[in-house]
Amino acid sequence: SRPNNLSVLLNPLIGRGGEEKALKQLLVSEDVRLVTLTGPGGTGKSTLSLKVARDLLSDFPHGVFFVALTTSDPALVAPTIAHVLGIKEQRGTPLTNSINEFFRERRMLLVLDNFEQVIAAAPLLTDLLTGSAELRILVTSRAALRVRGEHEFPVAPLETPDTTRLVTVDQLAQCPSVALFLSRAQAVKSDFTLNDTNAQAVAEICLKLDGLPLAIEL
């Protein structure tokens, strides 16, 4: 029932239980206003942010909105946010003022995805947070924003199997990177199972891909 534009995840988020819990605790904390998920491309920052945003809908009565930043022009960040939120530009009033006024009395969560492309626009986020005591911003970026009030939250690749020690097939299946591989493999071949014949090959694939979720899915 909360206002939002969040898409539904088509696949379960695997191996991120600890990160989910910690991130949700940060975003509902009174002294945390800006959280940046950092990490190399393919670690699943966007998926994690979307999952956490959906889980926190009930904590933000005025809504949760996801803004995909496809531009590389920092000057277009404010117009992109305004477009997603339905804020109209008014003659004689800077657009940033209108955005600030929109957030002023609202308890909302704003998710900004792929901010590394427009990192020069980071001071805009500080301005928005300064103008609204109840606004929270969750950012995904390959690099930290380095602005006042930022809490960096590194997102590492999924844990990979240790091939130097003997484990059972069932134990191997519990490894997050292997569990993701199995999930995606079974989506295209429903009878695929991890067994003594293929376990070593699956483990080596996950290792060679460094546990990167996007690489494993591909």
Side-chain angles (χ1 to χ4, degrees):
S1 62
R2 304 294 193 190
N4 73 91
N5 68 337
L6 304 177
S7 57
V8 177
L9 292 177
L10 298 180
N11 300 306
L13 187 61
I14 294 174
R16 296 297 189 193
E19 289 94 333
E20 280 187 64
K21 182 178 180 180
L23 188 51
K24 284 187 278 192
Q25 288 176 340
L26 268 179
L27 289 169
V28 297
S29 174
E30 287 302 315
D31 59 348
V32 176
R33 307 286 309 287
L34 170 63
V35 178
T36 305
L37 303 184
T38 59
T43 53
K45 300 184 296 295
S46 300
T47 304
L48 177 60
S49 71
L50 186 56
K51 175 62 166 61
V52 168
R54 289 198 67 85
D55 289 348
L56 291 178
L57 271 171
S58 61
D59 291 277
F60 294 94
H62 297 107
V64 177
F65 288 87
F66 187 94
V67 180
L69 296 169
T70 58
T71 180
S72 59
D73 184 353
L76 294 179
V77 173
T80 303
I81 293 173
H83 175 73
V84 169
L85 297 174
I87 300 171
K88 304 297 183 183
E89 191 165 6
Q90 300 178 23
R91 183 177 300 176
T93 302
L95 183 57
T96 53
N97 289 8
S98 298
I99 297 173
N100 263 314
E101 187 60 32
F102 177 87
F103 284 127
R104 192 173 307 281
E105 300 298 330
R106 290 180 167 92
R107 181 173 175 81
M108 298 181 68
L109 174 62
L110 184 67
V111 183
L112 302 173
D113 192 38
N114 294 325
F115 209 88
E116 70 275 355
Q117 304 177 108
V118 289
I119 208 158
L124 168 65
L125 308 189
T126 302
D127 292 342
L128 295 179
L129 293 169
T130 302
S132 171
E134 295 299 326
L135 175 65
R136 301 290 186 276
I137 299 178
L138 175 60
V139 174
T140 74
S141 175
R142 296 186 185 185
L145 309 187
R146 307 299 180 197
V147 294
R148 181 163 43 90
E150 178 187 29
H151 289 254
E152 184 178 359
F153 191 101
V155 179
L158 293 175
E159 180 186 343
T160 53
D162 182 359
T163 56
T164 63
R165 62 188 182 91
L166 292 175
V167 295
T168 66
V169 170
D170 288 341
Q171 289 173 324
L172 182 61
Q174 299 304 310
C175 177
S177 59
V178 174
L180 178 61
F181 182 96
L182 291 175
S183 172
R184 303 317 306 138
Q186 289 166 354
V188 295
K189 193 176 188 301
S190 60
D191 61 347
F192 182 86
T193 58
L194 192 67
N195 54 50
D196 292 333
T197 302
N198 62 25
Q200 183 67 25
V202 170
E204 289 178 0
I205 288 172
C206 293
L207 274 171
K208 288 182 178 180
L209 296 177
D210 298 320
L212 284 171
L214 180 59
I216 292 171
E217 290 192 15
L218 292 174

